[in-house]
Amino acid sequence: MLESLGRIKNPLVRSVTAAATVCSVATLAAGLIIGATNTKDKLAYQLGVYSTLFGTGCGAVVGLVYKSKSPEKSTKLSENQPISHNNSWTDWRNFVVVRKVKESEEITSFYLKPEDNSEIPNFQPGQFLTIKLDIPGQNKPVIRTYSLSDYPQPCEYYRLSIKRESAPQDLDVLPGLASNFMHDRIQEGSQIPAKPPSGKFVLDVQKSIPGVLISNGVGITPMLSMAKAATHLKPNRPIWFVHGARDGRFHAFREEVMALAQQHPNLNVHFRYSRPRTEDEGHYHSIGYVDAALIKDLVEQDAEYFLCGSPSFMQSIMEGLKESGVPKNRVFFESFGTMPVSSSNQTPTASVSNNVQQAEIVFTKSGKTLTWKQEDGNILEFAEANDINPPFSCRAGICGTCMCKISAGEVNYQEEPSATIDEGSALICISQPGSSRVVLDI
């Protein structure tokens, strides 16, 4: 009763309701007692009346002063706030592929819903999902991260749009293990464990400054999420969507982007094809490669720039934006490879080489001491394979999220890191042990 009473916001209505309820209960109780005793004493009837009046008065007072002890939850969302849910998880959670869609010659989308059909948290536009694949012939699960390519409201599924990575020409290298497995073996109904959405390459939906989303190839995936979020949550914010592709066969989400632009006049779209076919006529805006000169012609005002694509593509754009006077803090990027960097960020505890075949790694915070072998990959992958979950984001040595303190020993980098590394620390996403014993603050 008290819980129901607490839901009534008006104190006067709450008081009257409580008084009427207690009056009814008191009258019924008095009637039952008098009826059961079959008394004809006038005093008994007076006592019954007084009890009813007293109960009514007490009920009115209680109803007036009582408030619900449980905090009131507001169901109203601001137009400028993304929908969010407090239903995240911390480790692996099983998802089921409910839909598989071919988007282009190279890219296929996978729609994931939780196996238990419970709710899933929303995410920030630009974030990615980490998934775990049990691939035949591999002695341990293969862990990969893929950008979330949609922004559904409410968030009822996650969409991953994955490019099939072929073997590089003139190199004796196997094609992309995980991407080919996803394309060839994962079907509707397949189960895939995933971690919560993560990543710092995100669009701030609260800002009003114009945003320029620049991509090529599969770099379109986080940009589409950003464009949908911006038009949904901040429809008056000017957004440029600039994408480069070889031709129409390799252009994913063309119709989806154009449909979005038709609904939102502040979304400006420009597609540039490097080698368009005759049948592509009318589906692109210019011929060539997306470069800084094109961006400068399209955007004639202060803006924030978001880049995603191949390293050479992004390096060229970033250098061009810098020459045009765009401040460094206005440019945000995510790459599918290692951006060329100088070695000035290298610390005394790290070098770009590796001769260590086996090492003991002590994870102090986790209380685990494990033996690492070279085939175990980088330290982050090794930790995850042993149920240790350090923070991470890009998995490419760019963002610095995975940086941790080294209490003893050294690490060797598999490639040059581009993030600034604190002294006595290391990026575990691109490093392996560089000594026979390494102690990490993880």
Side-chain angles (χ1 to χ4, degrees):
M1 172 187 168
L2 289 177
E3 183 178 351
S4 300
L5 193 64
R7 294 195 185 105
I8 302 176
K9 297 179 180 180
N10 190 309
L12 182 59
V13 175
R14 190 168 60 239
S15 177
V16 172
T17 301
T21 302
V22 176
C23 175
S24 300
V25 173
T27 302
L28 180 61
L32 289 173
I33 294 173
I34 294 174
T37 57
N38 197 24
T39 181
K40 296 182 179 180
D41 189 351
K42 183 178 180 180
L43 182 61
Y45 288 100
Q46 290 179 342
L47 182 60
V49 173
Y50 293 151
S51 299
T52 300
L53 293 176
F54 180 75
T56 301
C58 290
V61 173
V62 171
L64 187 65
V65 300
Y66 182 79
K67 292 183 180 180
S68 175
K69 295 182 180 179
S70 58
E72 181 183 343
K73 297 181 179 179
S74 175
T75 57
K76 184 177 179 181
L77 287 170
S78 168
E79 293 181 358
N80 297 327
Q81 288 288 346
I83 299 173
S84 61
H85 307 283
N86 186 24
N87 44 34
S88 185
W89 68 102
T90 57
D91 203 0
W92 298 107
R93 180 178 179 183
N94 288 332
F95 282 75
V96 175
V97 178
V98 296
R99 190 179 173 204
K100 181 180 179 180
V101 180
K102 184 177 181 179
E103 309 288 1
S104 71
E105 285 295 311
E106 297 178 322
I107 298 174
T108 295
S109 289
F110 301 84
Y111 291 74
L112 307 179
K113 285 190 173 183
E115 185 184 42
D116 58 8
N117 292 319
S118 59
E119 291 184 337
I120 53 177
N122 203 355
F123 56 92
Q124 297 182 70
Q127 288 190 309
F128 56 77
L129 205 66
T130 300
I131 63 174
K132 181 167 61 175
L133 304 172
D134 289 320
I135 301 179
Q138 301 300 307
N139 57 9
K140 64 177 181 179
V142 175
I143 297 172
R144 292 290 185 270
T145 58
Y146 296 106
S147 296
L148 290 155
S149 62
D150 205 351
Y151 196 77
Q153 294 295 310
C155 187
E156 297 178 339
Y157 62 85
Y158 295 141
R159 185 175 75 178
L160 303 180
S161 301
I162 300 172
K163 176 186 175 183
R164 181 193 290 273
E165 297 291 349
S166 57
Q169 294 181 354
D170 303 324
L171 291 177
D172 186 20
V173 178
L174 293 174
L177 178 66
S179 66
N180 281 273
F181 178 79
M182 290 290 293
H183 278 247
D184 297 335
R185 303 289 293 274
I186 296 298
Q187 306 297 335
E188 293 179 1
S190 296
Q191 184 184 98
I192 298 178
K195 288 190 174 183
S198 184
K200 295 185 177 181
F201 177 65
V202 298
L203 177 75
D204 187 344
V205 296
Q206 299 301 312
K207 290 185 177 180
S208 298
I209 184 173
V212 186
L213 313 179
I214 310 168
S215 62
N216 74 340
V218 74
I220 194 174
T221 53
M223 300 307 181
L224 183 52
S225 175
M226 291 181 180
K228 287 191 172 186
T231 53
H232 176 71
L233 301 170
K234 204 80 169 181
N236 294 325
R237 181 181 185 179
I239 297 291
W240 278 264
F241 193 102
V242 185
H243 180 69
R246 183 190 309 175
D247 56 45
R249 295 171 301 169
F250 298 91
H251 186 179
F253 307 113
R254 182 175 64 195
E255 288 75 19
E256 193 169 332
V257 173
M258 292 309 299
L260 190 65
Q262 290 176 0
Q263 298 172 9
H264 299 278
N266 285 316
L267 178 61
N268 308 281
V269 176
H270 189 100
F271 297 143
R272 172 169 279 195
Y273 287 1
S274 59
R275 284 171 279 175
R277 305 166 300 160
T278 303
E279 52 265 46
D280 292 329
E281 190 67 32
H283 295 298
Y284 61 92
H285 303 89
S286 62
I287 300 176
Y289 294 96
V290 174
D291 54 20
L294 172 64
I295 304 303
K296 186 177 180 180
D297 290 341
L298 294 174
V299 185
E300 299 179 349
Q301 55 184 296
D302 290 337
E304 288 186 339
Y305 298 82
F306 297 82
L307 289 70
C308 188
S310 61
S312 58
F313 163 79
M314 299 204 335
Q315 188 72 16
S316 174
I317 299 290
M318 292 171 67
E319 290 175 355
L321 292 176
K322 182 179 179 181
E323 292 175 0
S324 299
V326 177
K328 186 177 180 180
N329 62 359
R330 291 281 183 88
V331 180
F332 309 89
F333 65 91
E334 184 169 74
S335 174
F336 302 133
T338 304
M339 298 286 289
V341 294
S342 66
S343 59
S344 59
N345 291 333
Q346 197 168 303
T347 70
T349 57
S351 60
V352 185
S353 63
N354 194 20
N355 297 317
V356 177
Q357 302 297 314
Q358 181 173 313
E360 179 186 83
I361 302 181
V362 180
F363 298 94
T364 55
K365 287 184 178 179
S366 302
K368 292 185 178 182
T369 299
L370 304 169
T371 299
W372 171 92
K373 295 181 180 179
Q374 196 169 54
E375 57 266 27
D376 289 326
N378 61 52
I379 297 174
L380 175 58
E381 293 171 339
F382 179 64
E384 291 175 325
N386 288 278
D387 297 323
I388 300 172
N389 300 290
F392 68 91
S393 179
C394 69
R395 305 181 83 99
I398 297 172
C399 68
T401 303
C402 69
M403 183 168 61
C404 70
K405 289 287 186 181
I406 305 176
S407 302
E410 297 180 351
V411 299
N412 290 328
Y413 287 117
Q414 299 164 293
E415 56 193 50
E416 288 269 2
S418 56
T420 301
I421 307 172
D422 297 340
E423 185 176 356
S425 299
L427 303 180
I428 61 173
C429 69
I430 56 169
S431 64
Q432 297 179 339
S435 57
S436 60
R437 185 173 185 267
V438 178
V439 180
L440 301 173
D441 189 28
I442 298 175

